Amino acid sequence: MTKTLIRFKAKLFRPTESEKAGSWTFLILPKSASAKLPSRGMTAIEGTINGFPFQAALEPDGQKSHWLRVDRKLSKSAGADAGDIVTLEIAPAGKETEPEVPPDLRKALAVAAPKARTLWSAITPNARRDWIHWIISAKQEETRTRRIKNACSMLAAGKRRPSCFDRSGFYSKSLSAPKAVPGKI
């Protein structure tokens, strides 16, 4: 089966909040490109940016589209920086990329019931990604802590995904693209 490439151009933006100035940029997919993907939620992709190959996970933007975080290494390899228009050719990835587990969740899973750890290992990377996004979408630290505890309990009880989590962010607005630096790219 041949993958259908989705081709588009997009502008790179600098986020208003980042750990270090200039450490990463992002772009928002045109709705027409996003509509060709299999999910409004997080989607693993592979493709090229300015001809340079990469693999990544697109994040939902809460507007029925997606955004892509472009780290400094990828940006440099693609010869692009904030303010530049880049050319992308993407397709859903043949294999799902493994999400990065936040340290607080990793610590909780390490001491969770064996059933929780077993199920965490058995679920798909996309299901793990849903748990992670449900946890990190909490606006307050107390909520995040409570969600981590609840996630461990639900996993131990055999629950494979958080049921109340809107993967697209469209209905709950729990997910969105970063805010771009105004006036300055």
Side-chain angles (χ1 to χ4, degrees):
M1 184 171 153
T2 306
K3 289 185 184 182
T4 303
L5 284 178
I6 303 166
R7 295 176 176 91
F8 62 94
K9 292 181 184 270
K11 186 175 186 175
L12 286 177
F13 295 97
R14 180 143 346 271
T16 55
E17 296 178 21
S18 67
E19 309 81 54
K20 295 185 291 185
S23 64
W24 60 282
T25 56
F26 72 97
L27 60 85
I28 298 174
L29 276 69
K31 287 194 187 315
S32 59
S34 192
K36 294 175 184 173
L37 293 164
S39 169
R40 295 294 61 93
M42 185 170 280
T43 304
I45 59 156
E46 53 193 16
T48 62
I49 181 168
N50 285 353
F52 184 79
F54 74 100
Q55 291 184 324
L58 296 174
E59 304 269 354
D61 73 351
Q63 303 297 311
K64 295 190 177 177
S65 191
H66 295 88
W67 67 277
L68 172 67
R69 180 184 173 121
V70 180
D71 65 27
R72 184 188 314 229
K73 183 179 176 185
L74 178 56
S75 182
K76 186 176 181 180
S77 297
D81 202 359
D84 293 345
I85 304 291
V86 292
T87 302
L88 288 96
E89 290 187 348
I90 62 168
K95 184 180 178 191
E96 292 181 63
T97 57
E98 195 60 43
E100 187 175 328
V101 180
D104 52 352
L105 176 58
R106 185 180 10 257
K107 190 183 223 179
L109 286 167
V111 297
K115 285 183 177 181
R117 290 193 306 273
T118 300
L119 184 57
W120 180 261
S121 296
I123 60 177
T124 66
N126 231 5
R128 285 191 286 275
R129 201 171 278 116
D130 283 351
W131 284 107
I132 291 166
H133 274 274
W134 176 61
I135 290 165
I136 66 174
S137 67
K139 290 185 177 31
Q140 297 186 12
E141 193 58 38
E142 303 84 49
T143 305
R144 181 180 173 124
T145 301
R146 186 173 58 251
R147 285 184 183 180
I148 289 172
K149 182 180 177 195
N150 290 342
C152 290
S153 295
M154 289 187 277
L155 285 161
K159 192 163 184 162
R160 300 180 78 79
R161 290 187 189 258
S163 60
C164 57
F165 186 63
D166 169 24
R167 296 186 80 220
S168 71
F170 187 72
Y171 298 102
S172 67
K173 301 295 183 224
S174 61
L175 301 171
S176 64
K179 303 276 186 256
V181 173
K184 300 176 189 171
I185 343 180

